[in-house]
Each structure stands twice: as C-alpha cells, then as structure tokens.
Amino acid sequence: MTSNEPVLPAPSTQPAEPVRSPRRLLARRAAGEPVPAAVVGVTPPVHPAADLSLGPGNGRNYWWQQLGEPVRDRMIARVGPRVDWWAGRHPTDQQRPYAVVLGPRGLAMCTPTANDRGGRAQLLTVVPFVPSSLRHAVVVQKPSGWLPGRLRLPAAPTTAPAPPDLPLPVGLRDLLGNLPADAQARVQWPFVNGDVLTDSRHYYQGNGDELHVWAYLVGRRWVTFVSGRGSGRSVPAHRRSWQLICRQAEVAQG
C-alpha cells in the first residue's frame, strides 16, 4: 500500500551525506536474504539495447544536496538507513530535485509540489515493505572471448510462448535493454507472473565508457530495484562488463 505524507517545505541547499559505493556482494545477507537463483514461472521479456543520451549536467550528489537535510532526514526516517538511492532533476520542473531512497522498511519517493500558499514544497510518497522481506541477487557480466567472426551454432528451436509485454516507459525499456538478460528478468519477473505494475522510474549517469544505473518497478504486491555499474560502452557488446544488484521486497498491505 502506498502512502502520501503531507507536503514538506522546500529547503535550502545543505551538504550531502557521504555516499558509500555498494561493495561487491556474494551470496550472503545484505539487507535481506539473497534472491533464489532458480526462478520459475513466466519468462520476462528481454529488451534490445538502445542508445542512452549522456549530456552534460549535474549528477545525483548535486541534486541530493538541493533536496535539503530536513527532507532527506524525513525520507530516511520513514524507510530506514539507505540501502540505495538516487536524486535527479525533475522531468517537469527542471529547476527542482526529486529523490528516491530504498531502505530496509520501504521505498520513499520525494517529488516537487506546491503547498496551500503556492510555495515550493516536496511530496513524500512511501511504499512500505513487509518486515524482513527485502532480498537481493548479484548479477555480474564479464567480457567474453567470443569474436564477431566466429561461427556460432543456431539455438535449439523452442515452443515456449512469447513473453508478455509490460507497459514500461520507453526510457526505462531502453535502459533495461542495456543490462544483462538475467538482471532484466529479475527486475520484471513479478510483473509477468501475476503482479500489476503501478509505478516505475529510472536514472543513469556516466560518460562514454562507464554507466551507473538505478531503476525501480512498483506493483501491488512487489517492488523490484536494480542498481550498479557497467563499463565498456564504447566497445562491442561481448566485451562489456556489468556489476549489478537486483533487489526485491514484498509490499505491506493494509
């Protein structure tokens, strides 16, 4: 169940908290038990890679500072210590920030709005989690030794039905298309196996070679969240590498 907090006054710029990059996790507990590797059910779609525009602009740390300390503190108070997060320029009000915080107790989204007097404020929306339901899986893709001129045997024919299509925004679909198929499947799996997608958002920053990504999908029962780093954007696909963490939590009802 999603809840909306009363609007918060738009604060002035405050120094950001130090941000720690996610450590390389193995199959151990990290804000929850690992997501099982074996997944059954309907196979999610795998999207083709698309070009992602990377123009000049401020990164997530800048926009996190613009949000201000009172708003940041309120988000963390609602969902717990940051497991992951991002902040960016709001797409419809490009002078103002929005932010997303994933915590052990929920997912918090803060978006710019106006208060009753027309002043700037932030609307806090929280998707609470079932206690201890946050799980993770690590997806690592290393460069392969396959060369474009090397002969590959055709794949065995399959009679499996085509995967269902999800109503994803074009930008999110394009971002997912750049990720390894395993990461795409984990993020989308609940929503082709009975859950109804109700919200999604994504963010990325990088340069000609590296890409840092964040995205979430919210349904009536599940939340999925993917984040991590890819390198080798300027080389052929088989030479690229990815280190990603896919997380999933159950939405608290009532």
Side-chain angles (χ1 to χ4, degrees):
M1 180 183 71
T2 302
S3 63
N4 290 327
E5 292 269 328
V7 292
L8 304 173
S12 59
T13 301
Q14 298 289 336
E17 301 174 15
V19 179
R20 298 179 180 177
S21 301
R23 300 174 62 184
R24 297 186 65 181
L25 301 175
L26 300 176
R28 63 184 180 85
R29 188 165 186 143
E33 296 294 333
V35 177
V39 178
V40 296
V42 177
T43 302
V46 176
H47 306 290
D51 291 333
L52 301 174
S53 60
L54 289 169
N58 297 306
R60 67 171 187 160
N61 287 292
Y62 170 84
W63 292 108
W64 183 250
Q65 292 180 24
Q66 297 302 307
L67 197 64
E69 186 174 6
V71 181
R72 297 196 305 261
D73 289 348
R74 177 70 68 85
M75 297 179 76
I76 293 171
R78 287 300 309 275
V79 300
R82 288 181 299 176
V83 175
D84 213 332
W85 68 277
W86 85 78
R89 179 174 57 187
H90 195 265
T92 60
D93 190 344
Q94 299 195 358
Q95 301 303 314
R96 301 181 63 188
Y98 79 95
V100 174
V101 173
L102 175 71
R105 299 197 302 269
L107 181 71
M109 297 84 74
C110 213
T111 54
T113 187
N115 59 27
D116 294 339
R117 298 181 299 277
R120 290 188 171 188
Q122 289 283 340
L123 177 66
L124 176 59
T125 302
V126 176
V127 181
F129 296 159
V130 171
S132 302
S133 68
L134 184 61
R135 305 287 191 264
H136 82 275
V138 177
V139 175
V140 176
Q141 175 180 292
K142 297 181 179 180
S144 71
W146 178 78
L147 298 176
R150 184 179 298 173
L151 178 63
R152 277 186 166 180
L153 297 176
T158 177
T159 58
D165 194 25
L166 287 176
L168 300 177
V170 174
L172 177 56
R173 189 186 302 265
D174 290 347
L175 176 66
L176 291 180
N178 283 270
L179 307 185
D182 186 24
Q184 294 193 45
R186 290 180 180 278
V187 172
Q188 300 177 95
W189 187 88
F191 310 104
V192 297
N193 285 278
D195 201 359
V196 177
L197 183 66
T198 60
D199 186 29
S200 62
R201 187 165 287 181
H202 69 282
Y203 178 79
Y204 59 88
Q205 62 185 42
N207 53 42
D209 185 67
E210 289 190 351
L211 188 67
H212 298 260
V213 301
W214 297 264
Y216 72 74
L217 280 70
V218 174
R220 295 175 181 173
R221 184 178 176 188
W222 298 102
V223 170
T224 60
F225 193 106
V226 61
S227 61
R229 170 185 172 272
S231 62
R233 297 184 67 241
S234 58
V235 301
H238 70 282
R239 298 299 301 165
R240 297 172 187 169
S241 63
W242 283 97
Q243 296 180 20
L244 299 164
I245 302 178
C246 300
R247 294 183 168 93
Q248 179 176 319
E250 187 174 0
V251 176
Q253 307 297 324

